[in-house]
Amino acid sequence: MWQCPLCKLPLSGEGPWRCDKGHSFDVSRNGYVNLLPVQKKKSKQPGDNKAMIAARQHFHQQQGFLPLMQKMASLAASYLPSDALTMLDAGCGEGTYLSWMQAQLEKSGKSVVAAGSDISKSAVDIASRQYKNAQFVVASSFDLPVESASIDLLLQVFAPGDDETLARVLKKEGILLHVAPGPDHLMALKQVAYATPRQHAIPPQQRNGLCLSHRERLGFSIDLRDADMTMALVNMTPFTWKFSDEQRAALVQNMTSVHADFILSVWQKVPRVPL
């Protein structure tokens, strides 16, 4: 499944991962492997910071997005009848979506080889410590160190990525399950953060190397049970830095629910036309 980020040859090994050209990548104490070469980093610590990751982890532990994860699992099961699957979450964060999908698919009788990648080393470290049934790597979704045509189910949840790279790693009958914020997602928070909040744009209906098979919109109310859950939601959003201390305090004290809005899309690989 994995390939060398330097020469693109397959990686293998019980200890350090190695390719036939001798490139070697150590397995960390917590089990993940760093496949993001320093020359491909755009900053010293790319990706989400520890505070945002911790907030997201706490929020997911309260099952704030449970209806979304249930819908993701049902869509994947309907498109993938095979009993043996290889699944990759490209932009896995702290691993919640990957772990949930693996558990639900296995409950339905499927055998799942699960893996996650993220550009944030902190996120991958947390994921690797929490979820021992999956392999995690530090890697960019714009240059996935994954062998071509090796993935049955590819997850892309609120994460950027290169279309051609994502299409390359999919098997012929595989699917990319993409989740993006819908127009009204967390609008109550945006109205506090911005003077003139804008709706999220609907994702495009065309992507390089992929064809759209299904799209639906999912909305639901999130019951913010306590101050800790509200603060976690505030701190995990990309506009968290817009809030003043006074605004944060007011949100925690007064907000008891918020509307979630998502666009779920199922993409399949465009067949190659013989020359």
Side-chain angles (χ1 to χ4, degrees), residues 52 54-56 58-59 227-237:
M52 292 185 72
R56 189 177 300 120
H58 180 80
F59 180 80
D228 287 343
M229 186 176 181
T230 306
M231 184 58 76
L233 177 63
V234 169
N235 288 337
M236 71 184 246
T237 62

Side-chain angles (χ1 to χ4, degrees), residues 59-254:
F59 180 80
H60 285 315
Q61 287 172 346
Q62 304 301 311
Q63 297 188 321
F65 286 168
L66 180 60
L68 169 63
M69 293 190 286
Q70 290 172 329
K71 175 59 70 172
M72 290 171 60
S74 66
L75 275 175
S78 68
Y79 273 86
L80 296 168
S82 173
D83 289 335
L85 305 173
T86 300
M87 174 174 60
L88 172 67
D89 188 348
C92 65
E94 83 296 341
T96 299
Y97 295 101
L98 179 69
S99 176
W100 168 268
M101 294 290 287
Q102 182 180 21
Q104 297 307 305
L105 291 170
E106 288 179 345
K107 283 181 183 178
S108 69
K110 299 182 185 297
S111 172
V112 182
V113 175
S117 64
D118 201 282
I119 201 169
S120 168
K121 184 177 177 180
S122 296
V124 169
D125 182 66
I126 290 173
S128 191
R129 282 190 276 120
Q130 285 192 126
Y131 306 117
K132 297 300 183 181
N133 293 330
Q135 176 64 60
F136 294 94
V137 304
V138 180
S140 169
S141 294
F142 290 86
D143 187 23
L144 282 172
V146 175
E147 293 180 324
S148 298
S150 62
I151 305 299
D152 296 288
L153 173 57
L154 184 58
L155 305 179
Q156 187 187 17
V157 186
F158 317 124
D162 175 68
D163 289 353
E164 293 184 1
T165 297
L166 299 175
R168 176 186 64 79
V169 304
L170 277 178
K171 291 182 180 179
K172 181 179 179 182
E173 304 299 330
I175 65 167
L176 165 63
L177 179 54
H178 178 256
V179 180
D184 298 325
H185 186 56
L186 304 182
M187 184 56 71
L189 292 181
K190 294 186 77 173
Q191 288 171 340
V192 176
Y194 300 100
T196 54
R198 297 179 181 178
Q199 290 184 317
H200 290 282
I202 298 292
Q205 294 193 7
Q206 293 185 333
R207 298 179 67 170
N208 291 334
L210 298 162
C211 58
L212 183 62
S213 296
H214 175 81
R215 171 165 288 174
E216 64 180 273
R217 187 171 175 181
L218 174 68
F220 55 89
S221 179
I222 303 172
D223 178 21
L224 299 171
R225 303 181 186 94
D226 54 38
D228 287 343
M229 186 176 181
T230 306
M231 184 58 76
L233 177 63
V234 169
N235 288 337
M236 71 184 246
T237 62
F239 39 85
T240 182
W241 309 116
K242 295 286 185 178
F243 297 122
S244 66
D245 290 342
E246 292 77 12
Q247 287 173 325
R248 290 174 189 273
L251 285 169
V252 170
Q253 183 176 358
N254 301 321

